[in-house]
């Protein structure tokens, strides 16, 4: 299994299909990126999590980061989940679970685990929150606090 990237380590690059097209992490250098790993579409806590982001769309938009959700369901499942709940966060299909494993957000018994990982403009992990049981999630305020704690980007 790949080493879990710790805070201060380079985030592993990946490419996944998603509801807004193909997402490749390295194409987002120069941006802050939040990866939201979650167990599954149409589950109670995951629905509550992504609906909370939808309900605070203005606050969410002000985070100043590219935010994507990642779970093991396919793109069609994600599209149905978004349509049913009018969700606003693009969702990526990690059907072989390689990305969850590379980021230490996978358990052989439970599958994809809930985790929030903040990556800075240089592709370095600056914050991670791994949920032990997956019964709670990072709120918009939690994500804002994590992003606000990052140093200001240095001009290139």
């Amino acid at each position: 299994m790949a080493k879990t990237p710790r805070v201060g380590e380079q985030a592993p690059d990946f490419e996944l299909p998603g509801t807004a097209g193909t997402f490749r992490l390295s194409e987002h250098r120069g941006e802050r990126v939040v990866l939201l790993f979650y167990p599954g579409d149409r589950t109670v806590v995951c629905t509550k999590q992504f609906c909370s982001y939808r309900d605070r769309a203005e606050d969410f938009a002000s985070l100043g980061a590219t935010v994507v959700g990642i779970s093991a369901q396919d793109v069609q499942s994600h599209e149905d989940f978004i349509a049913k709940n009018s969700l606003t966060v693009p969702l990526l299909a990690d059907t072989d679970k390689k990305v969850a494993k590379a980021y230490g957000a996978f358990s052989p018994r439970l599958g994809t685990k809930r985790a929030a990982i903040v990556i800075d403009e240089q592709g370095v992990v600056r914050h991670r929150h791994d949920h032990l049981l997956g019964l709670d999630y990072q709120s918009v305020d939690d994500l804002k606090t994590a992003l606000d704690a990052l140093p200001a980007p240095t001009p290139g």
Side-chain angles (χ1 to χ4, degrees):
M1 183 185 289
K3 181 180 176 189
T4 299
R6 293 181 184 88
V7 171
E9 294 180 342
Q10 195 70 33
D13 193 22
F14 66 88
E15 182 177 308
L16 289 174
T19 56
T22 300
F23 180 94
R24 182 177 196 89
L25 182 61
S26 59
E27 291 176 357
H28 293 273
R29 281 286 166 88
E31 303 170 25
R32 294 174 173 189
V33 177
V34 179
L35 306 178
L36 298 170
F37 290 93
Y38 68 101
D41 297 340
R42 295 178 299 282
T43 59
V44 175
V45 178
C46 298
T47 301
K48 187 174 172 186
Q49 176 182 7
F50 285 94
C51 285
S52 78
Y53 303 150
R54 174 204 64 206
D55 294 345
R56 292 190 56 197
E58 196 170 295
D59 293 331
F60 202 78
S62 73
L63 291 175
T66 298
V67 183
V68 294
I70 303 173
S71 72
Q73 291 75 42
D74 63 21
V75 173
Q76 184 61 57
S77 175
H78 290 339
E79 287 173 348
D80 294 345
F81 184 43
I82 286 174
K84 180 175 186 197
N85 297 287
S86 302
L87 303 181
T88 54
V89 174
L91 304 177
L92 306 180
D94 184 23
T95 55
D96 59 9
K97 303 166 193 75
K98 282 185 180 171
V99 176
K101 289 174 183 174
Y103 279 84
F106 179 80
S107 158
R109 201 172 82 244
L110 304 172
T112 301
K113 299 187 300 183
R114 194 174 317 282
I117 298 174
V118 176
I119 301 166
D120 73 8
E121 294 83 353
Q122 289 75 44
V124 175
V125 174
R126 292 297 174 195
H127 171 85
R128 74 175 293 144
H129 183 91
D130 295 278
H131 296 266
L132 293 178
L133 298 174
L135 300 176
D136 62 346
Y137 54 87
Q138 295 281 246
S139 70
V140 173
D141 295 329
D142 295 333
L143 295 174
K144 181 172 179 10
T145 298
L147 286 160
D148 287 348
L150 267 63
T154 53

